[in-house]
Amino acid sequence: LLVVAFLGLVALRACGPVGDRARDDLVEELIDGGGLQRAVSECVLDKFFEVRTTQELKEFFAREGLTDAERAEFARLGVECAPPTT
């Protein structure tokens, strides 16, 4: 399910400035399109954005599709950010 949700990011990345608005749009897409909880969505994107420069984020938003490395990173971050199951 997490991988499917992250594939939905492609539609939102087509335009818009890098910043709070773009991040908020991605959070909403993960919630609405992927069924993730807000806290998990925010955690994933916070961790993804915090290790990238402004230039890397501009390139991320400028191109279509996710790289294999990005897909793997999103999946890993989704697992890291998900609440523990009992």
Side-chain angles (χ1 to χ4, degrees):
L1 178 60
L2 290 174
V3 174
V4 172
F6 295 123
L7 293 177
L9 292 173
V10 175
L12 285 176
R13 295 185 318 116
C15 61
V18 174
D20 290 340
R21 181 172 167 237
R23 182 196 169 280
D24 291 346
D25 287 347
L26 291 173
V27 167
E28 291 303 319
E29 176 63 22
L30 291 176
I31 293 167
D32 296 341
L36 298 179
Q37 297 173 343
R38 178 170 298 279
V40 173
S41 299
E42 290 177 348
C43 174
V44 166
L45 291 175
D46 285 346
K47 288 180 179 225
F48 183 79
F49 280 29
E50 74 186 13
V51 297
R52 286 176 169 71
T53 65
T54 300
Q55 184 60 39
E56 288 171 323
L57 289 173
K58 285 180 182 179
E59 291 169 5
F60 172 77
F61 281 94
R63 68 181 150 71
E64 292 187 29
L66 299 173
T67 66
D68 290 341
E70 288 167 345
R71 276 198 251 346
E73 183 176 2
F74 277 126
R76 179 183 55 78
L77 292 173
V79 171
E80 284 180 23
C81 293
T85 56
T86 55

